[in-house]
Amino acid sequence: MASQIHFLDIKGKPLLSRDYKGDIPPNTIEKFPMLLLELENTIDDGEYKPFINDQGINYIFINHNNLYICALTRKNENIMTIIIFLSKMIDVMTQYFKSLEEESIRDNFVIIYELLDEMMDFGIVQTTDFKILKEYITQDYYSLIKSTPTHLVAPPNALTNAVSWRKDGISYKKNEAFLDVVESINMLITAKGQVLNSEILGEIKIKSHLSGMPDLRLGLNDKGIFTSNNNGAGGENGASNSGKNVEMEDIKFHQCVRLSKFENEKIITFIPPDGEFTLMSYRLSLAQFLSKPLILVDCKTKMHKHSRIEIVCTVRAQIKKKSTANNVEVIIPIPDDADSPKFNPEYGSVKWIPEKSCLVWKLKTFPGGKLFTMSAELGLPAVMDDTENILSKKPIKVNFSIPYFTTSGIQVRYLRINEPKLQYQSYPWVRYITKSGEDYIVRTR
Ligand SMILES: *[C@@H]1O[C@H](CO)[C@@H](O)[C@H](O)[C@H]1NC(C)=O
């Protein structure tokens, strides 16, 4: 029906948006305030027109409590149907929040996104479905919040055959689901700090401690991941992209995910296996996606032939000030036959690992924006071959992890857990982490 639905303030600034189809560019709604002004100048006083067509896009809107609720469509839809849908939607939300206004939207982002998914999910194109919809949503949501854990009943046998990856009769005292979004970053960085190549390998991992046959619904943000013409993803940190399109490649789901549901509606629903599993993996690769390294390393090596080697190394965390990189390890190659090392780190500690011919400079916590320097000196044997050449081929590796942060911009909006028979209260937990992949590499020359 509608491609996008937007809630806007009285000036036409978007408060909350849901993209259902991805067939209209995300910034199209920015034209709405101007189109609204034009419309007001062309219609007579007291006349009401809830509809604007501009460049093949229909803006269908309702004005309510100093808000505009606006649906965008590309096709020639029945405008009245959409108007009725929007007004029914306002009814439902008013029942939830007592009054639908700017403040209640800001306070209820998560619930509103969930409701929006439910309503379209229920194909509310037919207004006659409203009763069913209303019943479903009120029941469902409130039962999730208010119900206290009841004693657990065994699930009926009828359910069990359909789900080969989960046995029946699973029971937990406390029903919890832990969701981790883990992104591993691989980067090839020149000695001058220029990114030649970058890649994000993402995984959504779940540890499920849930009784019975729970049905889970995962709502992700529209931005960054599932839309192909997106300019804004990854801008969470200082190392934002350079405005290139971001496309997710190689999305793989665990067998429990209903693929048709995802393909049609971009909603991830599943009955999880018990315990730990990877729900989904994805890859983002774009040379220019990250224009700056997250951890920048600048290492200068000075060889004094037949006597010693001097190393001066600087690291900078190019992430947001309030972010922190943890367990940063800068692994610096040194000649095989170097000995008697001396280190002078401004911060952290340095270890010599002779069997791996490297120095490891470790910084346990590394706040965003900070810069630290380390200098080292090692002895070289008087007789030696072309160490310099061997050394120049070995790159520096960096290990790190950054909690509470994803580089792609992927975000979990909600994880809804529903066990139709047991109706227990459950607790979803979500964590984010970005870490170095196997190949976060800085060339030394
Ligand atoms: C760095 O990370 C890799 C895995 O990516 C690990 O094998 C290695 O032990 C870590 N630390 C050092 C000092 O190599």
Side-chain angles (χ1 to χ4, degrees):
M1 186 179 73
S3 290
Q4 299 175 2
I5 289 185
H6 301 270
F7 293 76
L8 308 111
D9 69 11
I10 195 66
K11 294 195 182 112
K13 202 172 110 250
L15 300 166
L16 185 152
S17 303
R18 175 74 171 96
D19 192 336
Y20 288 99
K21 289 186 184 165
D23 61 344
I24 296 178
N27 57 356
T28 305
I29 191 67
E30 287 166 18
K31 276 188 101 175
F32 180 63
M34 192 198 74
L35 295 170
L36 205 60
L37 266 179
E38 281 175 12
L39 178 77
E40 275 162 15
N41 291 333
T42 55
I43 59 173
D44 296 332
D45 268 358
E47 201 184 335
Y48 175 65
K49 194 182 165 204
F51 163 66
I52 301 169
N53 180 285
D54 177 68
Q55 298 186 350
I57 291 168
N58 302 310
Y59 299 72
I60 302 153
F61 58 93
I62 290 185
N63 182 220
H64 173 88
N65 279 353
N66 287 331
L67 291 173
Y68 284 100
I69 293 110
C70 180
L72 301 193
T73 73
R74 205 180 253 295
K75 273 195 261 151
N76 223 356
E77 299 279 351
N78 183 335
I79 289 164
M80 212 47 221
T81 309
I82 294 179
I83 291 283
I84 291 169
F85 173 72
L86 292 179
S87 62
K88 296 291 184 191
M89 196 176 72
I90 292 168
D91 279 355
V92 170
M93 291 187 182
T94 305
Q95 290 186 44
Y96 266 85
F97 315 130
K98 298 220 163 62
S99 168
L100 182 66
E101 52 195 89
E102 191 172 331
E103 201 187 332
S104 54
I105 289 178
R106 291 192 192 281
D107 288 347
N108 291 290
F109 269 8
V110 172
I111 304 170
I112 293 175
Y113 278 119
E114 201 174 338
L115 282 168
L116 287 172
D117 277 0
E118 291 292 350
M119 287 182 207
M120 282 307 217
D121 193 30
F122 257 71
I124 197 61
V125 200
Q126 299 101 340
T127 55
T128 46
D129 279 7
F130 178 58
K131 265 189 180 163
I132 303 166
L133 171 75
K134 195 176 81 175
E135 236 171 56
Y136 180 81
I137 287 170
T138 46
Q139 229 179 39
D140 209 68
Y141 186 74
Y142 285 130
S143 71
L144 198 69
I145 294 298
K146 285 186 181 162
S147 72
T148 44
T150 46
H151 55 277
L152 302 175
V153 193
N157 287 333
L159 270 176
T160 58
N161 293 337
V163 183
S164 59
W165 56 90
R166 188 178 176 96
K167 61 180 168 52
D168 62 339
I170 293 168
S171 169
Y172 286 97
K173 271 210 183 97
K174 193 173 182 188
N175 288 285
E176 294 178 299
F178 303 87
L179 190 149
D180 283 334
V181 182
V182 183
E183 290 190 343
S184 299
I185 310 296
N186 288 324
M187 259 192 190
L188 179 59
I189 304 156
T190 66
K192 290 196 169 122
Q194 191 194 352
V195 177
L196 291 180
N197 226 318
S198 67
E199 167 188 65
I200 300 171
L201 300 173
E203 278 188 322
I204 299 184
K205 296 178 177 183
I206 291 187
K207 186 162 90 183
S208 164
H209 285 180
L210 298 167
S211 309
M213 282 288 161
D215 211 321
L216 274 61
R217 173 186 289 255
L218 175 64
L220 298 174
N221 55 333
D222 304 324
K223 205 176 147 186
I225 304 304
F226 301 123
T227 48
S228 51
N229 51 350
N230 179 324
N231 294 325
E236 285 281 296
N237 60 345
S240 71
N241 64 71
S242 52
K244 290 270 158 56
N245 290 349
V246 177
E247 225 167 313
M248 208 174 197
E249 300 160 38
D250 300 340
I251 306 182
K252 290 197 189 82
F253 288 109
H254 187 270
Q255 60 156 328
C256 67
V257 174
R258 295 179 187 103
L259 289 180
S260 59
K261 186 96 173 157
F262 176 75
E263 267 149 30
N264 298 331
E265 297 166 67
K266 304 286 178 241
I267 297 173
I268 300 168
T269 62
F270 55 100
I271 295 176
D274 194 38
E276 289 179 39
F277 68 102
T278 300
L279 178 75
M280 170 183 167
S281 66
Y282 54 91
R283 198 169 78 95
L284 288 165
S285 82
L286 251 166
Q288 257 74 53
F289 179 54
L290 291 163
S291 51
K292 282 197 288 178
L294 296 173
I295 305 289
L296 181 70
V297 179
D298 178 26
C299 219
K300 299 253 182 323
T301 306
K302 204 166 170 190
M303 287 279 199
H304 300 273
K305 278 210 167 158
H306 315 298
S307 68
R308 66 199 165 93
I309 174 170
E310 281 176 79
I311 297 169
V312 177
C313 203
T314 303
V315 283
R316 185 198 292 270
Q318 304 191 116
I319 51 178
K320 273 202 290 197
K321 282 223 164 65
K322 59 182 185 190
S323 287
T324 299
N326 292 331
N327 300 318
V328 177
E329 291 176 315
V330 185
I331 303 156
I332 307 162
I334 53 164
D336 294 343
D337 47 6
D339 58 30
S340 44
K342 278 179 266 170
F343 320 118
N344 186 14
E346 184 188 353
Y347 175 69
S349 62
V350 184
K351 248 194 206 150
W352 175 39
I353 305 181
E355 63 274 20
K356 288 189 180 158
S357 302
C358 69
L359 298 178
V360 178
W361 178 16
K362 189 160 180 169
L363 305 98
K364 260 201 122 31
T365 63
F366 197 162
K370 289 269 190 236
L371 180 146
F372 298 110
T373 302
M374 183 276 289
S375 56
E377 196 179 306
L378 295 102
L380 291 175
V383 186
M384 55 182 283
D385 35 84
D386 56 346
T387 310
E388 201 162 355
N389 272 338
I390 295 166
L391 195 58
S392 68
K393 289 196 185 111
K394 284 203 203 165
I396 293 168
K397 279 196 70 177
V398 187
N399 287 358
F400 59 85
S401 64
I402 308 166
Y404 316 114
F405 163 68
T406 59
T407 311
S408 67
I410 191 173
Q411 258 174 31
V412 174
R413 274 187 183 146
Y414 58 84
L415 177 64
R416 209 195 61 197
I417 301 164
N418 180 37
E419 215 298 350
K421 296 286 182 297
L422 306 178
Q423 291 285 326
Y424 47 71
Q425 192 176 21
S426 52
Y427 304 90
W429 307 95
V430 180
R431 289 190 303 191
Y432 301 94
I433 189 162
T434 286
K435 56 177 192 149
S436 52
E438 295 281 308
D439 294 308
Y440 190 100
I441 282 170
V442 186
R443 283 187 184 162
T444 42
R445 66 185 58 193

